[in-house]
Amino acid sequence: VDAGHFIDRKIHVLLVSLAQFRSEIVIGPAVLGLLHLSFHEEMKHEIILANALPAVLQLLVTSESDVILGQCCKLIASLATHTPNKPPIVNSGCFHAVIDILGGIKTGDPHVRSAACAAAVNIIAGSDANKVLAIELDSIRPMLSLIQFGNSETALYNAVKCLANIAYCNSFTGSKILSFGGDVILVDVLKSSDVLRAPEITHAVMICFGNICTSESNQSHIGSSLGLIDATLRIVDYARHSNVVSSACLLIHAIGWNNTGNKARTKAKGATKSLLRRIMKHALSEVDGELECMENAALALASLMIFRSNHDS
């Protein structure tokens, strides 16, 4: 059904009013209905205009139902994909409530906390102000706790994505992640996760580390993280998914960019040979993903070759 049908009949307005009932039997389907409506791009802003955020905030703060909390977080995640919705979501207090749920204050359910992570991912994406606000709300500590002690791969994946968005193109927020020991925890994820069975987690960790490399101090910190370069090169050597290999190659490039110490460190670990093997493996491929993988491997190799002492390798 076209979104105009719902807008003309004010279905979203009715659902917002139903979401404010005291009965969970009514609230649950109402929030679920708003979530489904929000999948229509035209409905995302209309739901905000229908004054849905105060009702959602009330549920996030007062509801004791994990199902309703999860639906509210998913609704916020969906609404936040529409950029003009980000300021009202933050100003309404919903972002604060989402961070509280992420931190396990309201519930320990990993599925609800994962949904809260997904909401935070979308709220933070593309907004420097929201990245800094996430720091002020002390969101990094619970995210790292969820990564370290959580028992849900989906929650872990969303938490890593959230950290990656916080660090993207912002050296201050990236350094804050490192100050909480984020590099140690993320390296443990690389060591413990199965690259073949859960490639999306490995890919997210590689992207997160690459996003943190936005200053020389951050680069040096990451380059010296125990086991990171070894784990990254194992991915370059053995991973099967081209996007995972590409992200590992980009991380090598990010670690070594304008950082001679890291260039020497990665070369000493055998990065040059690993990258050359990967380039040769994809050189004759006509598959788009594999060609991109070869290009990123070549980029990382070129970055290493800027350091003259690496030429003899």
Side-chain angles (χ1 to χ4, degrees), residues 165-302:
N165 277 2
I166 289 175
Y168 182 68
C169 289
N170 192 312
S171 58
F172 168 72
T173 53
S175 66
K176 283 293 184 181
I177 294 172
L178 297 178
S179 70
F180 283 103
D183 57 318
V184 177
I185 293 172
L186 291 173
V187 169
D188 286 342
V189 172
L190 285 181
K191 291 179 179 178
S192 61
S193 62
D194 188 334
V195 177
L196 300 181
R197 189 175 64 87
E200 66 281 353
I201 293 176
T202 304
H203 180 253
V205 172
M206 292 285 99
I207 294 297
C208 186
F209 272 124
N211 287 355
I212 296 174
C213 290
T214 48
S215 69
E216 188 173 352
S217 60
N218 288 357
Q219 282 178 304
S220 298
H221 190 130
I222 289 174
S224 60
S225 296
L226 187 63
L228 173 59
I229 293 176
D230 293 308
T232 304
L233 292 178
R234 280 197 298 272
I235 292 168
V236 173
D237 284 331
Y238 302 115
R240 296 176 183 174
H241 295 79
S242 57
N243 64 328
V244 176
V245 179
S246 289
S247 62
C249 292
L250 289 174
L251 176 56
I252 293 172
H253 170 64
I255 289 175
W257 181 251
N258 283 337
N259 191 309
T260 55
N262 281 350
K263 292 182 195 294
R265 189 178 284 117
T266 51
K267 179 260 182 182
K269 296 287 187 179
T272 306
K273 292 180 181 178
S274 293
L275 292 169
L276 281 171
R277 284 195 294 267
R278 182 57 70 169
I279 290 170
M280 289 187 288
K281 180 176 181 178
H282 299 304
L284 300 179
S285 176
E286 296 182 357
V287 180
D288 289 341
E290 293 191 0
L291 287 175
E292 182 182 356
C293 180
M294 183 194 73
E295 291 172 357
N296 290 331
L299 178 65
L301 182 61

Side-chain angles (χ1 to χ4, degrees), residues 46-109:
E46 293 293 332
I47 292 173
I48 297 289
L49 293 177
N51 212 28
L53 292 178
V56 173
L57 176 62
Q58 181 74 11
L59 293 173
L60 289 173
V61 173
T62 62
S63 179
E64 297 180 359
S65 167
D66 286 341
V67 173
I68 291 176
L69 290 174
Q71 288 175 351
C72 287
C73 289
K74 290 176 183 178
L75 175 58
I76 293 295
S78 178
L79 295 175
T81 59
H82 185 59
T83 302
N85 285 350
K86 295 181 192 289
I89 289 173
V90 171
N91 294 335
S92 70
C94 285
F95 188 29
H96 298 63
V98 163
I99 296 299
D100 286 344
I101 291 173
L102 191 158
I105 294 176
K106 286 283 296 180
T107 176
D109 189 296

Side-chain angles (χ1 to χ4, degrees), residues 112-145:
V112 179
R113 296 178 71 189
S114 176
C117 279
V121 166
N122 293 346
I123 292 170
I124 293 167
S127 172
D128 273 335
N130 290 349
K131 292 174 190 175
V132 176
L133 179 58
I135 299 294
E136 294 175 353
L137 295 174
D138 195 25
S139 65
I140 292 177
R141 199 189 312 270
M143 287 178 197
L144 291 175
S145 176

